[in-house]
Amino acid sequence: MKKNSRADKGLRFLLCVGAVAAVIWGTGPLLNDWSVINPLMTFIEERDIDAGAYYYTDIEEFAEAGLIMDNTMTYCVNR
Amino acid sequence: MGKDQGVVVDTGASKLSDLWTQEDYWAIWLGFFVLMVGMILFFPKATDEVRQTISQANANLEMASARAPFKTLAWYQALDTKKKLKASASPEGKWIKKVTSAPKGWKQNPLEAFWMSAPAASAKAAKAKETYLKVAMAEKMALVEARASEKMAALAGFSDDTKNASAVKDIDAWRAVKAKASKAKAKTRVTGYNQVPWLFLFMGFLIVFFGLGYAVMGGGFGKFAAGFVVVFLVATLAYVAAGNGSMKQYGVGYAAWAIVFGLIISNTIGTPEWVKPAVQTEYYIKTGLVLLGAEILFGKILSIGIPGIFVAWVVTPIVLISTYLFGQKVLKMPSKTLNMTISADMSVCGVSAAIATAAACKAKKEELTLAVGLSLVFTSIMMVVMPLIIKAVGIPHVLGGAWMGGTIDATGAVAAAGAFLSERALYVAATIKMIQNVLIGVIAFGVALYWVTKVEAAEGNHVGLIEIWRRFPKFVIGFILASIIFSAIYQAVGKDVAYVIIDQGAIRGLSKILRSWFFCLAFTSIGLATNFRELKEYFKGGKPLILYFCGQSLNLILTLTMAYIMFYLVFPDITAKI
């Protein structure tokens, strides 16, 4: 099998980097303008939520939600 | 060490020297070292003053609860007092955050991830201030309205349902604007920064941290250090890409970027030989998992009462087992480990569950990559579609929140979709997801045990107790032990103090920051060691996609049904409280 030359490898690398850049600077912002998802995206930006967080401790909203639910269960007994 | 780089976990051999020659044990030592540092730094922050503030806030909560049949403004104000108590806000906590902080968020210019001049920061802060002033005004107005509605309800002795409902609605609206104002205010505090020196300092720390173990296990410290510089740089770039505004919004996190960047390097210019000593997927994953163990706090599972247990702890295992059996019996998945990793990833909580399960069942790195990719795609779609469906159909927000919390994989996407619906939906969605997160510990332990006793036995090996011990992935013991110790401390000190010193101290102040970096390094290593052609082989026939789709469909049906039964038929009183 023919081995790729250093120039070929370099070119493929640059193409991949270009594709990543196109996703970050092109597709991402472009999709944001789509009316179906725009309200959610604007909301996420305003609330500065990291939608990519993986675990409950990675995101501050969960700390507040947990605190509220714990205290709701402990103190809201009259409703 | 790392004899089989294709498998997420290696096998153990019971010798005393294993304690310092096997990465499973090193993961435990390193993980517990970090946890001990966290405890030493943050546990003494539970001072008498903090306890007194908590007591006062609890007295106010009790008083507010006795006064009205709903959560009044005074109730929320008392809660906000407790919320502000954070051990990680101490000087040492702030210093750790500064040194270990991932690159910052950015929109157009990626350099802002590392550096921002003082004038540029001032300009940004001034612009943010304009937005903040508008939101702050809206918050003030919302508070005035909420006060007026609550007063009307109070004048009626809190016995007029219409007035009570109106007060609840206005107080909820105030909370939503308040949350927005709080974020807007934080953006006005931006100052000039240069993250580069701190990143180098942190990289030096990590070289010593992991390099020592690598050297004791028989590798060369110098070789590891040289390779680690590249692995760390690629991991940092993954954080930069994940910090882009649009990517953050779509939920494309560091794990996906770390794999993509690693794959690009390994499949184009090739991963240089001298970098490979630091491409240690298992070493980083196992250490990260031991730290994750401390975040699995069993005291959290009752946060929303029995309905939460049913939605998160009954439906999830049913979906996991059903999906796995469907994959084995109907789809005839060629790999049991891929089947289990996708089933756990889809039914429990996405990437973190995939990591823990893949490590427990010794899945291949390509299988973990595939599971993470599937989760990413479905999470982004569900985060957008589910709130739209809930709004269109008119599903109550408590039910909608429980549905999203139990089904959307990624935690961040749950927060985004939940908050987009309403604050109430966010509280329920987040709590259900948190309870489901805690399930990871049980699942990982169960899967590890099932694999050494059943799956490997089925391959013709006799498995006695000693053999089980020898085969059992030892880092899982560290993972479970960390969970048990932190859960016991959590219960012993009480939820309020635990929030200050564990939730907002040892975990958010140290262990979760390092755990995220370790997982990022692991995913970078996966990318750097993966051949794209091999990865394609695992997707042949589209079976993983079918498995995920069918499993998620079952998950959606069962979770919605269970949430409705629990929150509206069996425990409507709990729903009313929320």
Side-chain angles (χ1 to χ4, degrees), chain B residues 499-556:
Chain B
Y499 175 81
V500 182
I501 62 170
I502 295 181
D503 272 322
Q504 299 288 355
I507 292 177
R508 282 186 168 85
L510 181 67
S511 75
K512 82 107 199 190
I513 305 174
L514 293 183
R515 186 254 303 153
S516 299
W517 271 106
F518 298 168
F519 283 169
C520 191
L521 291 168
F523 282 112
T524 304
S525 300
I526 286 176
L528 287 171
T530 300
N531 184 316
F532 196 70
R533 281 196 192 97
E534 284 170 22
L535 188 60
K536 275 200 303 192
E537 286 300 309
Y538 287 87
F539 204 73
K540 241 180 186 173
K543 283 186 179 177
L545 180 66
I546 298 168
L547 179 74
Y548 193 104
F549 183 81
C550 294
Q552 190 60 274
S553 303
L554 175 72
N555 196 17
L556 284 163

Side-chain angles (χ1 to χ4, degrees), chain B residues 146-157:
Chain B
R147 268 198 194 124
S149 296
E150 190 181 304
K151 203 174 171 184
M152 293 292 282
L155 286 172

